[in-house]
């Protein structure tokens, strides 16, 4: 991995961190309708994994997908605009927080229905294979989704058909307000891969180098026709499930323990040791990114709402 690319990872994780902080602020100011599901603490997963994809690969994400959409190259302004319902948003302002999508970038959809993105990714992967292309599909989902029927159906079919799919569980220990140990009889969700005869790999989701190399290996395997992999990224969300959830259901000290393994701090320490980005450079970068985020949000807010008749274009009746 080149020095430039790893410095850019740091910057991208910082952009996502400060984007999400700004989203919370805009939400509290009443500028964002509906809800939000933020990903502070989990940034190494989208940045490390998405950077292993080629432009002609596919991905699906969830409602906790702002970071993944940004990592795939949807512009920060288009994301802010989408959140605030503006016509310049990545879905013309009619999708909102849970639906960041850009098919032209292979981002096939953000799914608010838990587990719904997995079969779509298997379908995209299988269709590429039928067409003789070596594109792969990467699908992100949570620990809760690993208890949904579509998880098992998607893994089974992808393995049986060798559909080039990389299943990435972001195990952040909670599904909404419930700890995983109360709903799930295994400690490691990667163990479930055995039932589908595919590799199941546990990855330190706070360590972007580990995320990137595990994802790259799974992609290489899928691309060469050997079939899917299941990667379980152990990670943690710093904020509550959504909106204003204060996350009081977490035991004392848990958040602090995870913050001591912050993905930005881990990569930052390595980059400083390697002489690629000093602590002072990291501080300057934070100020620059913060200013860019603030200015971009203001620009996004200044854009018009979609015309009323536009909204009818996306309502279907059967
Ligand atoms: C099929 C379905 N059931 C329930 C819900 C309500 N719901 C929304 S998010 C969520 C928690 C999912 O947790 P997890 O998969 O661990 O993802 P995380 O939010 O932690 O990223 C639930 C139950 C839903 N959206 N879809
Ligand atoms: Mg979860």
């Amino acid at each position: 991995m080149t020095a430039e690319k790893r410095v850019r990872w740091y910057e991208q994780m910082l952009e996502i961190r400060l984007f999400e902080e700004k989203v919370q602020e805009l939400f509290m100011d009443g500028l964002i309708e509906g809800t939000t599901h933020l990903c502070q603490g989990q940034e190494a997963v989208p940045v490390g994994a998405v950077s292993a994809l080629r432009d002609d690969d596919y991905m699906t994400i969830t409602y906790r997908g702002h970071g993944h959409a940004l990592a795939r190259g949807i512009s920060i302004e288009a994301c802010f605009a989408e959140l605030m319902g503006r016509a310049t948003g990545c879905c013309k302002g009619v999708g909102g927080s849970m639906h960041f999508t850009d098919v032209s970038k292979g981002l096939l959809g953000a799914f608010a229905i838990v587990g719904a993105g997995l079969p779509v990714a298997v379908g995209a992967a299988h269709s590429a294979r039928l067409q003789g292309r070596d594109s792969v599909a990467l699908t992100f989902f949570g620990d809760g989704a690993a208890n949904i029927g579509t998880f098992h159906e998607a893994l089974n079919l992808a393995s049986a058909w060798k559909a080039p799919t990389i299943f990435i569980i972001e195990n952040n220990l909670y599904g909404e307000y419930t700890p995983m140990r109360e709903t799930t009889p295994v400690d490691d969700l990667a163990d479930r891969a055995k039932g589908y005869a595919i590799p199941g790999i546990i990855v330190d989701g706070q360590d972007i180098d580990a995320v990137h190399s595990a994802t790259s290996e799974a992609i290489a395997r899928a691309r060469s026709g050997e079939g899917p992999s299941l990667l379980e990224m152990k990670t943690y969300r710093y904020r509550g499930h959504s909106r204003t959830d204060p996350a009081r259901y977490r035991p004392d000290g848990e958040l602090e323990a995870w913050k001591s393994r912050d993905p930005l701090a881990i990569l930052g320490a390595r980059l400083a040791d390697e002489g690629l980005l000093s602590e002072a450079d990291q501080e300057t970068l934070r100020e620059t990114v913060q200013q860019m985020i603030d200015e971009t949000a203001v620009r996004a807010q200044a854009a018009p709402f979609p015309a009323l008749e536009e909204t009818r274009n996306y309502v279907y009746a059967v």
Side-chain angles (χ1 to χ4, degrees):
M1 189 47 51
T2 63
E4 293 78 33
K5 200 159 181 190
R6 288 172 76 244
V7 170
R8 176 63 189 138
W9 282 349
Y10 185 89
E11 188 180 17
Q12 277 184 298
M13 289 201 290
L14 194 54
E15 286 170 1
I16 294 170
R17 173 74 52 91
L18 299 180
F19 176 91
E20 294 288 63
E21 298 292 337
K22 191 75 187 177
V23 171
Q24 183 67 18
E25 200 182 303
L26 298 172
F27 185 81
M28 299 310 279
D29 286 347
L31 288 162
I32 295 173
E33 301 287 338
T35 186
T36 56
H37 305 80
L38 306 178
C39 73
Q40 294 102 316
Q42 304 189 191
E43 297 92 343
V45 180
V47 176
V50 173
S51 61
L53 289 176
R54 283 193 330 221
D55 286 350
D56 61 342
D57 290 329
Y58 303 102
M59 56 189 265
T60 71
I61 62 177
T62 74
Y63 49 86
R64 200 178 301 288
H66 301 167
H68 310 71
L70 292 170
R72 190 55 170 169
I74 299 191
S75 82
I76 293 173
E77 187 166 347
C79 289
F80 274 136
E82 188 58 38
L83 287 164
M84 292 189 272
R86 294 333 204 245
T88 48
C90 57
C91 296
K92 302 182 183 179
V94 297
S97 168
M98 296 197 274
H99 300 292
F100 285 8
T101 299
D102 187 343
V103 176
S104 75
K105 290 185 161 56
L107 174 47
L108 302 180
F111 295 82
I113 303 299
V114 172
L118 284 78
V120 174
V122 175
H126 186 55
S127 78
R129 196 148 186 257
L130 289 179
Q131 290 165 20
R133 295 185 287 119
D134 68 349
S135 295
V136 303
L138 209 160
T139 177
F140 294 93
F141 51 94
D143 45 286
N147 290 335
I148 290 267
T150 50
F151 167 85
H152 301 279
E153 295 169 24
L155 264 70
N156 182 66
L157 199 62
S159 179
W161 287 355
K162 292 208 183 310
T165 320
I166 298 88
F167 297 94
I168 297 193
I169 307 176
E170 291 184 68
N171 183 353
N172 60 11
L173 306 184
Y174 293 87
E176 287 192 329
Y177 321 109
T178 309
M180 185 184 124
R181 65 176 180 279
E182 288 182 21
T183 56
T184 309
V186 292
D187 292 329
D188 297 317
L189 294 163
D191 287 349
R192 292 186 171 168
K194 288 195 193 86
Y196 304 102
I198 64 175
I201 319 269
I202 296 173
V203 183
D204 179 354
Q206 306 308 92
D207 177 347
I208 193 164
D209 290 303
V211 169
H212 185 79
S213 71
T215 310
S216 300
E217 274 174 40
I219 289 175
R221 180 186 147 83
R223 235 189 260 299
S224 65
E226 290 173 71
S229 299
L230 177 66
L231 307 180
E232 180 187 5
M233 310 271 179
K234 306 275 193 188
T235 186
Y236 196 76
R237 59 164 154 80
Y238 290 167
R239 300 199 67 98
H241 170 66
S242 67
R243 279 188 265 206
T244 51
D245 167 23
R248 294 216 180 87
Y249 43 83
R250 306 197 283 208
D252 285 348
E254 187 178 81
L255 174 62
E256 291 69 26
W258 279 90
K259 281 192 167 174
S260 74
R261 299 207 64 251
D262 182 82
L264 275 157
I266 290 175
L267 180 63
R270 279 184 202 150
L271 295 179
D273 277 353
E274 293 160 26
L276 298 172
L277 196 69
S278 68
E279 275 180 33
D281 291 342
Q282 292 173 31
E283 196 41 49
T284 312
L285 188 60
R286 178 175 281 268
E287 285 162 19
T288 313
V289 172
Q290 184 66 63
Q291 191 181 346
M292 178 274 288
I293 289 283
D294 292 344
E295 289 170 4
T296 310
V298 169
R299 259 201 325 277
Q301 195 191 335
F305 289 108
L308 192 57
E309 50 280 13
E310 171 85 354
T311 57
R312 277 194 229 121
N313 293 340
Y314 313 107
V315 179
Y316 297 92
V318 268

